Amino acid sequence: MSIKGFSILPCLLLVCSFCSGKAMPTKLSQEAVNDRPVIGVLTQLVSDDVMKPFGRTYIPSSYVKYIESGGSRVMPIRLTLTTAEYENIFKKINGLFFIGGAANLETSDFARVAQIFYRLALAANDAGDFFPIWGTCMGMQLLTVLVAGENLLTNTTAENVALPLNLTEEALSSRMFQGFPQDLIKALTQEPLTGNFHHYGVTVKNFQENVKLTSFFSILSTNEAENGAHFVSTVEGKKYPFYGVQWHPEVNRFQWDSKLNFPHSLHAVQLSSKLAEFFVNEGRKSLHTFDDPEEEVSSLIYTYMPIYAGNFTSYEQIYFF
Ligand SMILES: *[C@@H]1O[C@H](CO)[C@@H](O)[C@H](O)[C@H]1NC(C)=O
Ligand SMILES: *[C@@H]1O[C@H](CO)[C@@H](O)[C@H](O)[C@H]1NC(C)=O
Ligand SMILES: *[C@@H]1O[C@H](CO)[C@@H](O)[C@H](O)[C@H]1NC(C)=O
């Protein structure tokens, strides 16, 4: 696991009664909700030698369980498809999740595919077609590269350390932490609930000096790296439903390597649950859908088998592709 709303515009559903000829569209007064969301997860490039015998790309099952725990299904997205194929997938999924790992954030296939989806998501949201994106650890680093159009990462090593978050003023009015009970917010700022496993990040200074980042994202939390640098640890899109955490909420419930500082306290578990539920609920606001039920079934993660990986990685189980 090395490392590397629209103030939310309600998505009003316009249905035309019978959709025939001159029928006037009927405006439903409630927000459209999709209770069968599918979140796409880009597979990650294998960089670790011990994993190479099993495949070229992978998804740790901890991320899959995390997303499923929020009430969503997961679709793994390979890095070998054409742009047209990604455009087609985009119309079917209800959100996208960039996981952690170690890949070049500008030249790798992971970065190339992420950029295709990022552009599609920007255009969709601009057109009122709600589509959320989440980035964890390297996934958040990738979001900063996509938004800034350049790589602003520097050494902000916080490797195998659990930290409380230094929440900003904006966190208190954020969407991400909106549904948190007061005691959990308090715990989040006082207890080491966030597992950090990274070498790079965006310092608060680099972030604040980049107008593309400051106009796009609100900083919800910061932390201090081993070298004393203050780095941005949680962000939320000001206009777009895009979210990033430099830490790993999925480990709190789904990773157990005792050599690593995975927070497993009740508050740590609650934090992880709340954020998974939050992001999946963002996915429920997306009305993208598969037209073909058979294609839907065969696209989901369920047809793949994870392998036991607890004896050669810090993950318990991994899907290889
Ligand atoms: C915590 O936040 C305060 C106020 O925003 C800031 O002055 C301080 O540098 C932050 N500390 C870290 C470790 O980021
Ligand atoms: C980053 O900083 C840490 C802590 O100061 C140091 O131990 C590490 O070697 C540095 N890593 C890189 C890649 O420069
Ligand atoms: C890990 O455990 C599995 C299942 O017991 C076993 O098949 C595999 O050879 C082990 N791998 C290593 C690298 O020890």
Side-chain angles (χ1 to χ4, degrees), residues 155-157 199-200 226-228:
N155 186 348
T156 62
T157 297
H199 297 297
Y200 296 93
E226 286 162 23
N227 61 7

Side-chain angles (χ1 to χ4, degrees), residues 169-179 218 220 236 278:
E169 195 85 13
E170 282 158 303
L172 304 176
S173 55
S174 67
R175 303 187 296 277
M176 230 161 133
F177 296 124
Q178 198 171 50
S218 301
L220 304 191
E236 163 175 293
F278 166 76

